Structures are given as structure tokens and as C-alpha cells.
């Protein structure tokens, strides 16, 4: 029996009890009962049962009774649910439920039958999400900070999809503004063999880009300065963006959309207007735009921002906020219910202005936009990039540590916690390395399956009542939790819950492996116990594999 099946049975009991009281003429307040009201929890102390419910405390007041009395009232009906071994009422009205062995162990077969779909749910069905993250300037290689946002953003997108949401992952390319002109000046200076300009970009990669630009445009140095800067900028930009995309793909991070900031500034030749112009008009039509001090403003303080924001300065130059407004409205126009921004620690001030912008655009800032702020990360032992000079580059990290160790470790912690990782631990092949510990558990399940096949043990029989060993009870209990963990991770946008859960499953599996045999010893005949344990072994491998996939981490067959 799965937690979902047990919750549905409780739902039927509670709703029937409420309707019975209404039919008897009792005054029962209106209010729909939902499955969420019947959510079950795993007791911290397994002696208290397999599942616990606080349903009596939720509904006793509505029914004019006390929680313990209501719990006692519905206990006989819960005990009558097939697969329930016993029910105990504890404390102020907690209902502790113990399943019989066969009912609890049935989950092993359900997991194997579900395969890659196990853990997926429809709790966010109907939600359309735009997930924007990384969005590094295309003026240099990706570094360690970008690496954290890439791992977190992609993992969040994966758990959202696993919970039924439709997700588009998006990279906003900051390819407009002064930084791009400085980028072009830097490349041109390197091509000429001249010193870097005052606000130029240091690093050997600029020299590499200059070489590429000269190969693509041999006449570069013969052009007028403005034309040479523009050409160096655009050719260097395309090459650097290509390298960024390649680094992300090698990190197993795929973006559905690369959105160019330039498209917001581009003037439509038929209308003579840009998307930024249109955004200003739309906000003006909403009544939130005003003019003061020779500038055009949005009154974002009406929506909780700490100050009003300028759209256009007196000299006619549009601001970054104007581009932010046009970009948000682009996402809104593309039909996304929720726009998620994952920003770095230095962007904390953007939270208020983006939420105010959403409200000014007619959206609910508590529903239609989420701004997640990630904290800084450092990796002990990592060396500064030889190409970039002053950063730890993603490509170097991939070569030194590997994509799996990086992705798992960066997704293992909440985004809002500063993070310090030990490179030597991440490279180690020991249980001190969390990703190795989990991946090794998966490879062990595959090794057991291969050895079982060689010994003639197959999944030709399944008797869940045989899975009665204490280590099996613990392992089965943790496997049942996976769908709830996925759902909670998606709801809270916290993929680290998946990683911590997988480590728990791996621990239970390693203990079970040492105490319960799938293969017969010596001349021992193959029995249904061996066959049934193979189901449990394969179910565990499936759960670990599914969980690692949600983190973008591989599940090795051998280690």
C-alpha cells in the first residue's frame, strides 16, 4: 500500500463521517475536504508505526468534538482498511498506523512496474513556468558562481517537470550596453598588441578571442575604429557565447531558450518602436508611469519597492530597469504562469523591484513571480583559471572534479546558504564523498542484479509477506517516501531534499545488503524469498536512478 492509497482511504472515511453528521442534522460548517488535509507523515520513531496522521486535530473542531475523541471514533474504520495491521491514538490525537508486512512491501513491485515514472506526480499540473538562471554576461567564461546556479536551476526545473509543471529553461544574454563595447575594445586591443583599455577585460581568453576574430575578419585592423570595435565585439561575442553553451552542455545543463537583450532594444522598422517602448506604454496604460526631473519613472513604491524606478533618463537613454520591464512582459506574453529568477547574492536588491514590476504589470507578485537568491560558493583546492586569470572556471572544474560530483554537491545544499566544498573529498572514491556514496549504492544494485541473473534468480515470483527483516522494513519505508519528497522539493523549489533523501536510501540499502541475501549460499536452492528480494533490490536501484536523474547526475552501472 502506498501513502497515496492510504491517504485516499482516510479521505473516504473522513468525508463519509462528515456527511453522516450532516444527514443527522448536526451543524457542520461548510468547507471542502482535500487530499492535502489527509497528508501522512513518517513517524521519527518507527516504533510508533509506518505512518502518522493529524487528521483528527484538523477536523475535530469543525465537528464539535475533541481530537482524541474523533480519532477514537474513526479508528475502527481505519483498522478495517485492507493492509492496515494496527492503529494507535497518541498524544492529543495523533493517529499512528502500522501496515502489515505484505501491504508495506507491495511498494517494491509498484516501483519496478512504474520504472522511470516512479516519483513523478501531478501536483503542479497546469502550471507553466519560465525558469531563468545563469544568464552570465557573454564577455568571458563561466565561473564557479555560475556553476552553482546552473546546477541548482537545472535541478529545480527537473523536479518541477516531475511534478507536472510545464517548464521552459531560459538564459538571458546580456548582450547590450557598455560592457559589450568594452568587450569589443578589449579584443581589438589584443588584436593590435596594445595594452588593455581602462575598463577592459583581463585574461588570456581575450587574446584567444582576438586570434579567432582576426581569422574570421582578416581586414579588421584596416577598418575605421568604430567599425573595428563593433566587428570585434560581435564576432568575439558569438565565439564566447558558443563556448558558454558548450560548457553548459558538458555540465549537462540544457536551455530551451537563449534570449538576447538586444531584441528588447531593437526597433521594429514597421512601427519605429522597440519592445522597451511598448513596455513603457503598457505600464503607462496601467497608470503606473509618471514624469519627473526630466525622466520617465515607474511608481513601484505603490507595490512595496523601496524607491520608484527610472525607465528613461533625461538624455533619452533607457535604463536596465526598462529592459527588465520589457523582458518580464515578454515572459508574461509568452503565457508563463510563474516566472522564476535565480539570481546571485549581489542581486538581493532586485527582489523588491522585480516583484513590484510584476504587480505593476497586473500580476500577483505572490503567485506569478519567484526570485531565488543564491549565496556564494568556494571550492577548496580549486585553482584560478589560467585563461581568465582571476576566476575559477567551469571548464577547469569539470576537468578536475567531474560533472557528477559538481552537480550533486552544488544541488545538495539550499540556494540561500553560503557553501564551502572540499575538492579532495569530491574527487575521492570513499563514503566521505556523498555522490560516491549514493552512486555506489546504485552500482551495487546493478551488480546484485547481474549476479542474480547469472545464478538463475529472476523476478518470476513476488511474495511481499516474506520481506519481514528489520532492514527490509526500513528500506521499504524509505522507498515509499520518494513521491512525497519529489513533490515537496518541487513545491519549495528545494532540490537539496532529493540529495539528502538519496543518501538516506543508500544507507538503508547498504545495511540491507549486509544483512539480507538475494543470492542463495552454496547449494541452497533458489526460493521465493530470493526472488522477492531481487524485486526489492531492483526497486531500490530504480529509486536511486530516478532521484539522481532529477539532480542531473548519472547512475553508473559499475564503479
Amino acid at each position: 500500500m502506498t501513502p497515496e492509497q492510504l491517504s485516499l482511504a482516510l479521505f473516504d472515511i473522513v468525508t463519509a463521517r462528515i456527511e453522516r453528521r450532516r444527514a443527522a442534522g448536526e451543524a457542520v460548517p461548510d468547507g471542502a475536504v482535500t487530499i492535502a488535509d489527509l497528508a501522512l507523515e513518517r513517524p521519527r520513531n518507527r516504533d510508533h508505526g509506518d505512518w502518522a496522521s493529524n487528521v483528527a486535530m484538523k477536523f475535530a473542531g469543525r465537528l464539535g468534538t475533541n481530537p482524541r475523541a474523533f480519532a477514537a471514533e474513526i479508528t475502527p474504520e481505519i483498522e478495517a482498511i485492507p493492509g492496515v495491521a494496527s492503529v494507535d491514538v497518541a498524544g492529543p490525537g495523533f493517529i499512528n498506523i502500522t501496515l502489515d508486512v505484505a501491504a508495506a512491501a507491495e511498494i517494491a513491485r509498484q516501483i519496478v512496474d512504474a520504472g522511470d515514472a516512479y516519483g513523478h506526480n501531478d501536483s503542479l499540473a497546469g502550471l507553466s513556468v519560465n525558469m531563468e538562471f545563469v544568464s552570465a554576461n557573454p564577455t568571458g567564461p563561466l565561473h564557479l558562481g555560475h556553476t552553482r546556479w546552473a546546477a541548482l536551476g537545472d535541478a529545480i526545473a527537473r523536479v518541477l517537470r516531475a511534478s507536472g509543471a510545464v517548464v521552459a529553461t531560459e538564459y538571458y544574454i546580456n548582450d547590450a550596453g557598455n560592457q559589450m563595447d568594452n568587450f569589443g575594445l578589449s579584443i581589438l586591443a589584443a588584436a593590435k598588441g596594445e595594452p588593455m583599455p581602462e575598463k577592459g577585460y583581463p585574461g588570456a581568453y581575450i587574446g584567444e578571442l582576438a586570434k579567432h576574430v582576426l581569422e574570421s575578419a582578416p581586414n579588421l585592423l584596416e577598418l575605421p575604429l568604430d567599425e573595428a570595435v563593433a566587428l570585434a565585439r560581435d564576432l568575439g561575442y558569438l565565439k564566447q557565447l558558443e563556448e558558454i553553451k558548450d560548457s553548459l552542455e558538458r555540465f549537462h545543463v540544457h536551455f530551451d531558450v537563449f534570449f538576447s537583450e538586444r531584441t528588447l532594444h531593437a526597433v521594429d522598422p514597421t512601427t519605429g518602436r522597440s519592445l522597451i517602448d511598448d513596455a513603457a506604454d503598457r505600464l503607462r496604460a496601467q497608470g503606473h508611469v509618471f514624469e519627473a526631473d526630466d525622466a520617465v519613472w515607474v511608481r513601484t513604491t505603490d507595490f512595496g519597492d523601496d524607491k520608484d524606478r527610472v525607465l528613461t533618463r533625461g538624455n533619452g537613454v533607457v535604463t536596465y530597469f526598462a529592459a527588465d520591464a520589457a523582458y518580464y512582459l515578454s515572459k508574461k506574453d509568452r503565457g508563463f504562469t510563474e516566472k522564476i529568477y535565480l539570481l546571485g547574492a549581489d542581486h538581493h536588491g532586485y527582489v523588491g523591484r522585480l516583484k513590484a514590476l510584476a504587480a505593476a504589470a497586473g500580476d500577483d507578485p505572490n503567485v506569478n513571480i519567484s526570485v531565488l537568491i543564491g549565496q556564494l560558493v568556494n571550492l577548496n583546492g580549486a585553482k584560478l583559471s589560467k585563461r581568465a586569470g582571476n576566476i575559477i572556471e567551469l571548464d577547469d572544474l569539470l576537468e578536475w572534479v567531474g560533472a557528477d560530483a559538481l552537480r550533486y554537491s552544488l544541488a545538495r545544499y539550499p540556494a540561500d546558504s553560503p557553501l564551502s566544498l572540499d575538492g579532495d573529498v569530491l574527487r575521492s572514491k570513499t563514503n566521505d564523498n556523498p555522490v560516491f556514496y549514493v552512486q555506489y549504492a546504485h552500482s551495487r544494485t546493478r551488480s546484485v542484479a547481474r549476479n542474480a541473473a547469472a545464478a538463475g534468480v529472476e523476478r518470476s515470483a513476488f511474495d511481499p509477506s516474506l520481506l519481514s527483516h528489520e532492514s527490509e522494513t526500513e528500506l521499504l519505508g524509505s522507498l515509499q517516501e520518494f513521491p512525497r519528497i519529489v513533490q515537496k522539493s518541487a513545491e519549495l523549489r528545494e532540490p537539496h531534499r532529493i540529495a539528502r533523501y538519496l543518501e538516506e536510501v543508500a544507507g538503508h540499502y547498504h545495511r540491507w545488503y549486509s544483512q539480507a541475501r538475494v543470492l542463495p549460499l552454496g547449494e541452497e536452492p533458489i526460493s521465493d524469498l530470493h526472488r522477492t528480494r531481487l524485486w526489492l533490490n531492483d526497486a531500490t536501484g530504480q529509486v536511486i536512478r530516478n532521484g539522481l536523474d532529477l539532480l542531473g547526475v548519472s547512475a553508473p552501472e559499475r564503479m
Side-chain angles (χ1 to χ4, degrees):
M1 172 178 289
T2 66
E4 292 76 16
Q5 291 168 329
L6 185 55
S7 292
L8 284 171
L10 284 174
F11 177 83
D12 291 340
I13 290 171
V14 172
T15 52
R17 182 68 56 173
I18 290 174
E19 291 306 316
R20 199 176 307 158
R21 294 196 176 202
R22 283 198 179 117
E26 296 184 26
V28 178
D30 292 333
V33 180
T34 68
I35 288 294
D37 294 320
L38 284 304
L40 298 168
E41 295 182 355
R42 298 287 291 182
R44 292 185 179 180
N45 185 341
R46 291 304 306 277
D47 292 338
H48 294 165
D50 294 304
W51 298 103
S53 170
N54 63 355
V55 61
M57 289 178 283
K58 283 188 176 181
F59 289 96
R62 187 187 300 186
L63 299 175
T65 184
N66 67 69
R68 278 196 68 91
F70 184 58
E73 183 180 331
I74 62 176
T75 289
E77 294 176 68
I78 299 174
E79 289 176 332
I81 297 173
V84 171
S86 63
V87 180
D88 176 61
V89 179
F94 286 104
I95 301 174
N96 294 322
I97 303 170
T98 301
L99 303 179
D100 64 41
V101 172
E106 182 64 31
I107 191 67
R109 176 159 52 190
Q110 294 173 349
I111 292 170
V112 172
D113 289 345
D116 294 344
Y118 181 68
H120 288 216
N121 61 87
D122 60 0
S123 62
L124 298 181
L127 180 65
S128 177
V129 179
N130 179 282
M131 181 83 201
E132 187 219 324
F133 55 104
V134 182
S135 299
N137 290 344
T139 54
L142 298 178
H143 57 63
L144 178 56
H146 303 136
T147 302
R148 185 177 194 184
W149 317 148
L152 278 172
D154 188 64
I156 292 172
R158 289 168 183 254
V159 297
L160 289 173
R161 290 187 181 112
S163 293
V166 175
V167 182
T169 53
E170 187 154 317
Y171 186 116
Y172 181 65
I173 312 169
N174 298 103
D175 54 3
N178 290 334
Q179 84 275 4
M180 293 303 297
D181 292 333
N182 292 332
F183 180 59
L185 284 167
S186 301
I187 294 174
L188 184 61
K192 291 180 175 181
E194 297 177 352
M196 280 294 109
E198 182 180 352
K199 295 183 179 180
Y201 289 87
Y205 76 95
I206 290 293
E208 295 171 8
L209 290 174
K211 181 180 179 181
H212 167 78
V213 169
L214 284 171
E215 291 173 351
S216 302
N219 66 331
L220 175 73
L221 303 184
E222 302 169 9
L223 298 174
L225 180 60
D226 288 350
E227 291 183 29
V229 170
L231 185 58
R233 177 195 65 204
D234 291 346
L235 291 176
Y237 153 60
L238 292 175
K239 180 62 175 177
Q240 186 59 64
L241 183 60
E242 178 186 320
E243 292 185 5
I244 287 173
K245 291 180 177 180
D246 180 65
S247 296
L248 289 168
E249 288 293 340
R250 291 197 298 116
F251 197 43
H252 312 309
V253 176
H254 171 78
F255 282 93
D256 299 311
V257 177
F258 281 86
F259 189 101
S260 167
E261 183 186 353
R262 293 181 180 183
T263 61
L264 302 175
H265 296 266
V267 175
D268 186 331
T270 60
T271 64
R273 300 178 58 77
S274 68
L275 292 176
I276 289 178
D277 295 329
D278 293 342
D281 284 352
R282 290 169 66 175
L283 293 173
R284 184 179 286 109
Q286 296 269 34
H288 307 308
V289 172
F290 67 98
E291 297 184 11
D293 301 326
D294 200 28
V296 179
W297 302 69
V298 179
R299 192 174 286 104
T300 53
T301 52
D302 286 352
F303 305 103
D305 198 4
D306 59 344
K307 62 181 179 181
D308 293 328
R309 303 290 170 176
V310 177
L311 284 175
T312 308
R313 298 189 179 95
N315 59 6
V317 175
V318 297
T319 63
Y320 287 119
F321 183 76
D324 288 340
Y327 184 39
Y328 183 86
L329 288 171
S330 167
K331 295 179 180 183
K332 179 180 172 72
D333 291 345
R334 283 182 275 155
F336 295 108
T337 312
E338 182 179 0
K339 282 71 73 177
I340 299 178
Y341 295 75
L342 180 54
L343 304 177
D346 56 341
H347 286 71
H348 197 277
Y350 276 68
V351 177
R353 75 184 70 170
L354 284 173
K355 285 188 169 288
L357 173 59
D363 280 348
D364 184 341
N366 296 316
V367 174
N368 301 121
I369 183 171
S370 299
V371 185
L372 308 179
I373 300 296
Q375 291 300 315
L376 299 177
V377 58
N378 68 79
L379 182 58
N380 297 334
K383 297 179 181 179
L384 295 178
S385 169
K386 293 179 181 179
R387 294 175 66 246
N390 60 346
I391 65 172
I392 300 171
E393 196 175 338
L394 170 57
D395 287 341
D396 292 338
L397 290 171
L398 289 174
E399 182 177 346
W400 183 50
V401 177
D404 281 347
L406 268 179
R407 288 203 55 146
Y408 186 93
S409 300
L410 292 170
R412 188 173 178 258
Y413 298 89
D416 59 0
S417 64
L419 181 55
S420 180
L421 300 175
D422 188 323
D424 290 334
V425 170
L426 296 187
R427 299 172 69 220
S428 69
K429 306 297 183 184
T430 70
N431 287 341
D432 292 332
N433 182 358
V435 67
F436 176 84
Y437 184 67
V438 173
Q439 287 183 317
Y440 181 65
H442 178 267
S443 68
R444 177 173 267 181
T445 68
R446 304 313 302 141
S447 174
V448 168
R450 288 191 298 271
N451 292 335
V457 179
E458 301 174 340
R459 294 200 310 258
S460 55
F462 180 73
D463 183 350
S465 66
L466 298 176
L467 298 178
S468 58
H469 192 277
E470 181 181 355
S471 64
E472 289 166 337
T473 302
E474 290 181 350
L475 180 54
L476 287 161
S478 65
L479 298 182
Q480 289 177 341
E481 282 279 81
F482 186 53
R484 186 182 67 84
I485 296 294
V486 174
Q487 181 176 338
K488 200 68 175 178
S489 296
E491 175 189 335
L492 300 177
R493 282 63 166 154
E494 293 182 345
H496 71 273
R497 293 171 179 267
I498 302 284
R500 299 307 177 116
Y501 165 79
L502 290 176
E503 290 162 33
E504 176 186 305
V505 171
H508 288 313
Y509 177 77
H510 289 312
R511 285 190 288 275
W512 174 72
Y513 176 88
S514 67
Q515 297 178 34
R517 293 191 57 83
V518 174
L519 305 182
L521 279 172
E523 299 300 319
E524 179 186 4
I526 297 172
S527 70
D528 283 351
L529 176 59
H530 300 115
R531 299 183 183 95
T532 302
R533 281 179 171 167
L534 181 58
W535 282 85
L536 178 54
N537 174 81
D538 293 355
T540 305
Q542 186 70 63
V543 168
I544 295 175
R545 189 159 56 252
N546 291 0
L548 287 173
D549 183 67
L550 292 177
L551 300 178
V553 177
S554 70
E557 293 281 316
R558 290 178 169 85
M559 290 182 71

